[in-house]
Amino acid sequence: ISESLFNNQSSGAYLAQVSVGTPPQQISLQIDTGSTDVWMLSVSTDLCQMTGGGFDETASLSSNVVAQGAFVASFGGGESTNGDYITDDFIIGGATIKGLQMGLANTSSMAYGLIGLGYDVNEGSIINGKTSLVYPSIIDEMVSQGLINTRAYSLYLDNLAATTGSIIFGGLDSEKFHGNLVQLPIISTTLANGTTAFTQLQVAMTSVGVDSQSFTPATYQATVVLDSGTTLALLPNDLVAGVVAAVNGVDDTQPENSGFIFVDCNVLSNSSFTVDFGFGGANGIVIHIPASEIVATATTYLGDKTLPVATSSFGEVCLLTLHFTNSTTYLIGDAILRSAYAVYDLQNNLISLAPTNFNSTTSNIVNFTTSETSIPTVTS
C-alpha cells in the first residue's frame, strides 16, 4: 500500500489524505511514528482552524461508537486531545481497512489528527488504564485483513523544499535511498515492574559530529526515538552545545528569551557542511545532514520575538532546528529523518536506515513476504 504525503511546511507535518466512512469523507492526517492511535477531529471540535478537516460521524452509515469519552491522548509538546473511540471504514493508498478503531476528538489543541504507527502498547486506552479497550492498530488490521504481509512500513520524507514524500505499508522503494539499508535493533524499555517491552521505535545513537568529525567518545550511546510527528531534534545538552559551538551559534533557548538557537545564514552557502549522526556503532550507519535541512531563515519562525544582541554580527540570521532537552527521552524528528530513508519493522523489532536519495522521480517497490524474519537486504 503506497500513499503520497504532503509536506505542510508551515506546520512541519507530513499529511496523508485518507477517506473515512460511508460515503467516504476526505480528511488529511499526520503520519506519526511516535504514537499508535489513529484519530481524527470531529466536525464539532471547538477549533478556529482544522488543517486537515473534520469527520462527521452522523453522516457515515458505517460509523459505530465503541466507547464514549474513552479516547484521551497527550503529546510531548504539551498538546492534548480527547473524545470517543469509534469504528469505521478507512481508505489509504487505495486500500480499504474495514471497521478500523479510531479516536474521534471532540476537544483538541491540535489542528489535525494523526495516523499513529507505533507499538500497540502506546494506545491511548492502555496508557490511560482502560485495558479492556485494547484494540488492533492500523498496522495490525492491514495484516489481519490481508492487505499487507507483515507489520512493517517504510518512510521517505525527501528534502525540506520538496512538497511531497511517501509511505509504503508492507514494502520499501529501493529508488528512494543510496547504498545499502543498515539494520538496527529496536531498543526495548524497562517498565516500572522490572520487565522489558518494546514501547517506542527507538535505536542507539552512537555518535554526533560536524563535517565528518565526531565529538563524542567511541563508547558513546544514547537511546533516541525516531519520531516523524516531531519537527525538531530534541537531544542531550552537551551534544547540541557541540554543534552550536562548531557553527558559532548563539544559544537563546532560555525560557525568558526567544527559545531558539541562532546561526549565521552563511552556513547555507557551504555545500560541504554537514551535521553527522551515527547509529548502531562501528557496524552501523552515519547519516550526514546538510545545512539546508537543519537551518531555516529566522523570520519564518521568529514572529514578534526579539533577536539577541549576539547575532548583530551575522549577515543574515537563521535558526538551527536542533534543540536541547532536559528530558530523558531524546527525539530524532523530521529535521533529521528527511536525510534518512527508514524502514520500520514492528514484527521483528528492527529499523533499517540508508541515506536518502533526494528528489527521486523513479520507483521500484519491493514487497515484504510473510515469512521474513528481518528487513530484506536491498541495495538501491
Side-chain angles (χ1 to χ4, degrees):
I1 302 172
S2 180
E3 173 66 30
S4 178
L5 304 176
F6 168 64
N7 179 7
N8 187 355
Q9 295 174 343
S10 62
S11 67
Y14 285 82
L15 303 174
Q17 188 173 82
V18 303
S19 297
V20 183
T22 308
Q25 301 175 41
Q26 285 195 341
I27 301 170
S28 293
L29 302 175
Q30 182 183 11
I31 294 292
D32 183 19
T33 59
S35 66
T36 302
D37 292 288
V38 175
W39 64 271
M40 310 167 290
L41 295 169
S42 168
V43 289
S44 61
T45 305
D46 185 15
L47 278 174
C48 296
Q49 181 181 9
M50 295 185 190
T51 301
F55 179 67
D56 183 358
E57 73 276 20
T58 65
S60 173
L61 299 175
S62 49
S63 182
N64 293 290
V65 176
V66 174
Q68 197 166 25
F71 171 62
V72 180
S74 58
F75 304 92
E79 306 92 342
S80 62
T81 184
N82 60 77
D84 306 329
Y85 274 117
I86 67 167
T87 59
D88 211 332
D89 296 344
F90 187 95
I91 302 173
I92 184 169
T96 300
I97 305 167
K98 304 293 289 185
L100 179 67
Q101 183 161 325
M102 300 168 279
L104 183 63
N106 302 313
T107 303
S108 179
S109 59
M110 298 174 65
Y112 40 75
L114 303 178
I115 300 176
L117 297 172
Y119 285 106
D120 293 4
V121 71
N122 271 341
E123 290 173 359
S125 59
I126 298 175
I127 292 172
N128 292 288
K130 301 180 177 68
T131 53
S132 62
L133 298 177
V134 175
Y135 64 93
S137 70
I138 185 171
I139 301 294
D140 296 335
E141 289 286 16
M142 285 181 176
V143 173
S144 66
Q145 296 186 29
L147 300 174
I148 60 176
N149 292 321
T150 189
R151 296 189 303 142
Y153 58 91
S154 56
L155 192 57
Y156 173 72
L157 300 183
D158 209 348
N159 60 38
L160 178 60
T163 57
T164 60
S166 61
I167 186 168
I168 300 174
F169 298 98
L172 60 82
D173 189 339
S174 64
E175 293 293 310
K176 297 297 188 285
F177 59 90
H178 293 293
N180 299 316
L181 285 165
V182 176
Q183 286 191 8
L184 306 169
I186 294 175
I187 297 174
S188 61
T189 301
T190 301
L191 305 179
N193 62 6
T195 62
T196 60
F198 292 103
T199 63
Q200 295 279 6
L201 299 174
Q202 56 191 13
V203 296
M205 182 176 70
T206 50
S207 68
V208 177
V210 172
D211 287 341
S212 298
Q213 298 296 314
S214 174
F215 49 70
T216 49
T219 56
Y220 180 81
Q221 180 169 318
T223 299
V224 292
V225 179
L226 306 188
D227 184 4
S228 69
T230 300
T231 303
L232 304 175
L234 302 177
L235 298 170
N237 292 354
D238 55 337
L239 297 189
V240 179
V243 177
V244 173
V247 296
N248 297 314
V250 174
D251 173 16
D252 198 47
T253 56
Q254 295 76 16
E256 66 274 14
N257 297 337
S258 67
F260 295 113
I261 296 171
F262 296 100
V263 297
D264 194 319
C265 292
N266 64 14
V267 70
L268 290 169
S269 63
N270 183 355
S271 59
S272 64
F273 173 84
T274 60
V275 177
D276 313 311
F277 292 86
F279 303 94
N283 296 318
I285 185 172
V286 177
I287 300 295
H288 302 279
I289 318 298
S292 57
E293 294 302 309
I294 57 171
V295 174
T297 304
T299 53
T300 305
Y301 301 96
L302 195 61
D304 58 358
K305 295 178 180 177
T306 304
L307 288 170
V309 174
T311 64
S312 59
S313 62
F314 293 176
E316 184 181 358
V317 181
C318 280
L319 303 177
L320 189 67
T321 56
L322 308 181
H323 268 226
F324 302 99
T325 179
N326 292 319
S327 169
T328 55
T329 300
Y330 304 131
L331 302 179
I332 295 292
D334 296 339
I336 309 304
L337 291 177
R338 278 189 285 267
S339 296
Y341 187 82
V343 183
Y344 300 84
D345 183 354
L346 281 68
Q347 187 69 40
N348 299 300
N349 304 308
L350 297 168
I351 292 175
S352 283
L353 300 177
T356 298
N357 179 17
F358 290 129
N359 301 313
S360 170
T361 58
T362 56
S363 182
N364 179 46
I365 294 178
V366 178
N367 291 317
F368 302 148
T369 65
T370 305
S371 60
E372 280 170 330
T373 57
S374 65
I375 298 166
T377 303
V378 176
T379 301
S380 70

